[in-house]
Each structure stands twice: as structure tokens, then as C-alpha cells.
Amino acid sequence: MFRKLVSCLMALALAAGVVGVSSCSHADFEKIPKTSGFFRHLQKSSYASTPMVAYWDDMDDNVWDDRVHGRNGKCQAVILKPVTLDYFTPRPNDAALARHIENLRDYFNKELVKEFQRLHNDPGTHLVLTDKPGKGVYTLEIAMLSVKSTNVLKNAAMQAPGFFVTGGSAAASVVLGSKDDTGYISFGARLFDEHGKLICETGDFEYGMQSIIGRLGFDTKDFRPYAYQRQTIGFWVEEIGKLMTTDSQTPVTKPKVSFNPF
């Protein structure tokens, strides 16, 4: 009994030491698919306003800032195209996998439309969601580029009673687990002006972000194949909305940790 108690205490100490790292966001620029054909300028961001990979056309910041602040009669008029899988790589051969990916794409699209409609109706922003091309109307295209589901079987094994007895799930995951066990997802976005000129490209690759609670005990996303990817989509949707409604000098931060185990 004493040995088990010591083992549990050691596991908690180890968990406290690693939880700040292991529950953090894990982005990897190099793993954004390079052969998708979506990007024209795939490069790391040099702009303080975006936490993701980004290319911006060399335009006057005042043009953007006038739109997002509604100055001089301007507004941020945007056509939001449906999220596409046209650039997804590699293309799935399995029909069941293809359906999962399509469902994830549909979820991405639904959440994005919901957020842009919210911004459209928010009196504090000047974003105008439209489906009609015209003067001053930008077009936003978003593609889901790659995805891998959570390793449910491995995650379940690491939560088995034997791991708790011999060191706890957090300690076991340090030894046997990896960030890849939570799966990953990547996307790309392009913004064009009314003449079809590319203004901006942005994108990201993220592993699933396990909650701090999950690292110390239990995270339900470990047992739902694409739950981490849906969480990441939620983060992205919020970030994309902020990028479209803030000026060139306002930083848009990414979440560093997650506390939600659901």
C-alpha cells in the first residue's frame, strides 16, 4: 500500500512538471501540406497581428484599418465561400474515412458561418457578410488540408487501471504517449480583393490540445475520434473572425492551454 501511495505521489509530481508543456498548443509549420496546391506563398508570419502562418500583400495598412473601423464610409465586406476539401491531402481511399472528413469539413463550415453571422450582427464590428461581388467586397476561401483522428485505442489503454497503479496516466503518457496520439488538423485560408488580387494567405497545423484536467486524470476527447480536431476548429474560427475585424496593429493571440475536458 505504501509503495502504491509513493508511486501515485511521484506521478502527481511528474504530472505537475509536465502538464504546462503537454497540455499546451502544439503547432508545426513544417507539417502544413506543401503539395496541396492551395498556397502561393507558404511562409511563417512576420506580423504581430496574426499567430498563424501568413502572407500579406504589401498594401497600405490604412486601407485595412479603415475597413475594420468603419472609417470614411468603409466596411469589411466579405463573401465567405464554403470550406472546401478540394486541396485535402492525401485524399482518403476508405469510404468511411472520407465521410468522417466530410463531416468535419461541414462542422468547420457551420461554425465559421455562425461566427461570421455573429460578427455581421454585432454593432461593435463593421464586418458585412454578403454573397454579392462588388466594389470593396473581399472573398475569403478556406480549405481543410489534412486531418488525423485521435488514437482512441492507445489513449484508452493508457487510462487503464494498471497505469494508475504503476504511475498514473500523466506519467504513463510521458513515457508511452505522444502529441500525435491526439491527432491533428491543418487548414489554409486565402483572401482576395474585388479584382481577384491575393491580399492574404494564412494557415495552421495543430495537434490536439489535451486539457490540463485530462493530463491529471481524464479528458473525454481522448475517446472521441475527432473531438480534438473540432476543438481546434473552434479556436481557428474565433481567430479568423478576429483577424477579419481587428486593425493591423492589434495582435490576435492563440490559446496556450485548455481547461475543458469535454
Side-chain angles (χ1 to χ4, degrees):
M1 182 68 181
F2 177 75
R3 291 177 64 185
K4 289 183 179 180
L5 178 60
V6 171
S7 178
C8 289
L9 290 174
M10 290 178 63
L12 288 174
L14 177 58
V18 303
V19 72
V21 175
S22 59
S23 61
C24 289
S25 171
H26 291 286
D28 193 334
F29 167 78
E30 297 302 328
K31 292 195 175 182
I32 295 177
K34 306 293 193 298
T35 60
S36 68
F38 184 81
F39 293 102
R40 301 180 189 176
H41 307 274
L42 186 58
Q43 60 192 52
K44 292 185 179 181
S45 174
S46 59
Y47 295 86
S49 61
T50 173
M52 298 176 284
V53 175
Y55 159 82
W56 286 87
D57 178 65
D58 187 21
M59 65 179 185
D60 187 346
D61 287 345
N62 291 327
V63 174
W64 182 267
D65 294 348
D66 284 350
R67 291 171 63 96
V68 299
H69 289 301
R71 296 194 291 248
N72 303 318
K74 303 287 182 61
C75 67
Q76 186 70 301
V78 181
I79 296 172
L80 181 62
K81 286 197 169 185
V83 177
T84 182
L85 291 174
D86 288 349
Y87 302 90
F88 194 89
T89 182
R91 302 295 292 182
N93 294 320
D94 180 75
L97 177 58
R99 285 194 297 272
H100 283 302
I101 293 171
E102 289 167 359
N103 289 339
L104 202 57
R105 182 271 317 275
D106 293 343
Y107 177 78
F108 199 163
N109 191 69
K110 181 189 73 173
E111 293 300 301
L112 196 64
V113 169
K114 184 194 303 183
E115 177 65 5
F116 272 65
Q117 287 176 339
R118 184 190 70 80
L119 293 169
H120 173 90
N121 294 321
D122 184 350
T125 72
H126 298 277
L127 186 139
V128 176
L129 192 58
T130 181
D131 58 3
K132 297 179 180 179
K135 184 176 181 180
V137 177
Y138 289 171
T139 299
L140 180 61
E141 297 179 353
I142 292 180
M144 206 170 83
L145 300 177
S146 65
V147 68
K148 179 184 177 183
S149 69
T150 304
N151 191 338
V152 173
L153 293 177
K154 185 173 180 181
N155 290 339
M158 287 200 300
Q159 292 287 349
F163 279 111
F164 285 107
V165 172
T166 58
S169 62
S173 66
V174 172
V175 178
L176 299 175
S178 72
K179 59 189 176 185
D180 199 56
D181 294 337
T182 60
Y184 57 74
I185 186 170
S186 67
F187 89 104
R190 303 186 297 203
L191 188 66
F192 298 90
D193 71 8
E194 64 194 82
H195 304 294
K197 180 183 178 181
L198 180 66
I199 297 174
C200 168
E201 286 183 336
T202 188
D204 202 4
F205 176 104
E206 289 280 352
Y207 291 101
M209 187 194 302
Q210 191 177 40
S211 66
I212 289 178
I213 294 173
R215 278 293 173 179
L216 295 175
F218 186 81
D219 194 313
T220 65
K221 294 187 290 298
D222 284 334
F223 312 104
R224 293 147 53 205
Y226 295 95
Y228 281 112
Q229 288 64 51
R230 288 175 177 247
Q231 178 190 58
T232 299
I233 286 171
F235 294 151
W236 284 342
V237 164
E238 184 176 351
E239 290 163 19
I240 293 167
K242 287 179 180 178
L243 285 171
M244 294 298 298
T245 54
T246 55
D247 61 40
S248 57
Q249 302 303 314
T250 302
V252 176
T253 59
K254 296 173 70 172
K256 301 298 184 184
V257 297
S258 170
F259 293 93
N260 186 358
F262 300 104

